[in-house]
Amino acid sequence: MSATSAASPPSGTAPVPATVRLRMAGRALFIRLGVLPFFLAVALIVFALASDRFLTAENLVNVMRQSVYLVLVSLGQMMVLITGGFDLAVGATVALTSVVSALAMAALGQIFPDAPVLVIALGALAGFAVAALVGLANGAGVALFGVSPFIMTLGVSSVAAGGSLFLTGGVPVSGLPAEFADLFGFGRWLGIPVPVLVAAVAVAIAWVVMTRTRTGAHLYAVGGNIKAAKLSAIHTGRTLVVAYVLCALIAALTGLLLTARVESGEANLGGTLALESIAACVIAGVSLRGGIGRVETVVLGAFFIVLVQNGMNLAQIGSYLQMVLLGGLLILAVIFDQIRYRMMMTA
């Protein structure tokens, strides 16, 4: 028997049609990455047809710069979602960090007028400290007292938002060191905006934590099966607290960058970040049931959300209708997440 005849399919076996192979490949891609590749392809086609400025290099660079803040918040949200929870307080944490750090910098600037680096460092430390308290409150409520993540983070969000307004009276906090905005708001290094560099470093650290450390493995284990994680001697309560604290600290970093961008402490920063970060994660294939999610796809998911907002702006779609479309996008993402989960269970 020749090698050719040995390698040929058995007689009577029909070749697989190209359409079937394409459908199988699409199914495999959907199970692995979620709905993001399909949404991204549709968005690129629709908005490219709607505006000839959409796919220009200048616009794409602008989208990249604008997506920094959502990318950061989505990284923290991903860590909580992987454990089977979610954090509705990320937007309020951003605002509280902005207010507290700005108040600290303004006060310390009066004491140390010739030491802007010290003032910025201490102000940032104050912002991170108050964000850590928010994360501890969320984690303790969920892990130690068994409160639903929805109720716990919603309540903490209300407390943090109210605290921001109480501290400022609704008035922006000014008097920050000029060096703070010059470096972290508008600065460039090697031609790259500093916020983009900060986000790149944060993404790299998050990838290492989630894929190369025990902490990341524990987060996936708790989200995958918390009972099995307990039987494997994983301290599930501590793991949940760590997830919420990390989420709050990343939100604090976002708050500091936004404060530098607007050059003042604002109590209304981050109002839509909770919804947008959850949407970015779910669209990127992070399961609402926990245990599934990848850093690199979450980054692309956050970029996709900002890209859609940018495309809607170029298409001159009103801001109110944009809220409707973004909410619909989240609903579709959740529906496709359910379908994807069923496919994974039957694969």
Side-chain angles (χ1 to χ4, degrees):
M1 182 182 294
S2 66
T4 304
S5 60
S8 62
S11 58
T13 302
V16 180
T19 55
V20 175
R21 291 199 302 271
L22 185 62
R23 187 164 61 247
M24 292 174 62
R27 177 188 174 94
L29 183 64
F30 177 62
I31 291 175
R32 177 173 174 78
L33 298 179
V35 75
L36 178 58
F38 307 97
F39 276 9
L40 186 59
V42 171
L44 289 173
I45 294 171
V46 170
F47 292 122
L49 293 175
S51 173
D52 55 1
R53 293 182 295 164
F54 179 67
L55 290 180
T56 61
E58 180 183 0
N59 186 58
L60 293 178
V61 170
N62 182 49
V63 171
M64 185 180 299
R65 183 168 55 248
Q66 291 177 344
S67 66
V68 162
Y69 313 107
L70 182 57
V71 165
L72 288 173
V73 175
S74 298
L75 288 176
Q77 190 73 255
M78 176 201 70
M79 295 178 183
V80 176
L81 284 170
I82 283 176
T83 66
F86 48 84
D87 190 350
L88 297 178
V90 287
T93 304
V94 167
L96 186 61
T97 300
S98 175
V99 167
V100 170
S101 61
L103 287 172
M105 289 183 197
L108 291 169
Q110 300 294 326
I111 302 173
F112 306 107
D114 299 323
V117 175
L118 177 63
V119 170
I120 293 171
L122 292 177
L125 186 61
F128 281 120
V130 73
L133 291 176
V134 172
L136 281 172
N138 284 328
V142 173
L144 303 182
F145 299 103
V147 182
S148 162
F150 175 81
I151 296 299
M152 191 65 213
T153 60
L154 183 62
V156 170
S157 174
S158 180
V159 171
S164 301
L165 291 169
F166 174 77
L167 289 172
T168 63
V171 179
V173 179
S174 57
L176 280 64
E179 293 82 358
F180 181 53
D182 291 342
L183 178 59
F184 295 104
F186 306 96
R188 289 177 176 267
W189 190 66
L190 300 178
I192 303 174
V194 170
V196 174
L197 293 174
V198 172
V201 172
V203 168
I205 294 174
W207 184 85
V208 171
V209 169
M210 297 304 296
T211 61
R212 295 292 185 269
T213 68
R214 183 178 299 177
T215 298
H218 288 181
L219 292 175
Y220 280 109
V222 168
N225 190 324
I226 192 168
K227 292 182 179 179
K230 288 181 179 179
L231 294 175
S232 300
I234 295 175
H235 197 306
T236 56
R238 183 170 59 197
T239 301
L240 288 171
V241 172
V242 167
Y244 283 95
V245 170
L246 287 175
C247 181
L249 291 176
I250 296 175
L253 177 61
T254 308
L256 289 169
L257 293 176
L258 281 171
T259 302
R261 186 72 180 178
V262 300
E263 301 184 70
S264 61
E266 302 275 356
N268 59 358
L269 286 179
T272 61
L273 283 176
L275 172 64
E276 291 174 356
S277 62
I278 293 174
C281 289
V282 175
I283 289 172
V286 180
S287 176
L288 293 174
R289 293 175 176 80
I292 301 173
R294 298 166 59 191
V295 170
E296 55 271 29
T297 55
V298 167
V299 173
L300 188 57
F303 180 82
F304 167 77
I305 294 291
V306 178
L307 188 72
V308 168
Q309 292 173 334
N310 173 265
M312 289 190 291
N313 287 333
L314 292 177
Q316 298 182 345
I317 297 175
S319 59
Y320 298 144
L321 184 56
Q322 288 189 27
M323 294 174 63
V324 173
L325 294 175
L326 183 60
L329 198 62
L330 176 58
I331 293 171
L332 280 176
V334 172
I335 292 173
F336 281 114
D337 177 65
Q338 296 276 8
I339 297 172
R340 177 173 174 242
Y341 179 76
R342 292 172 186 171
M343 286 183 175
M344 292 173 67
M345 293 297 99
T346 58

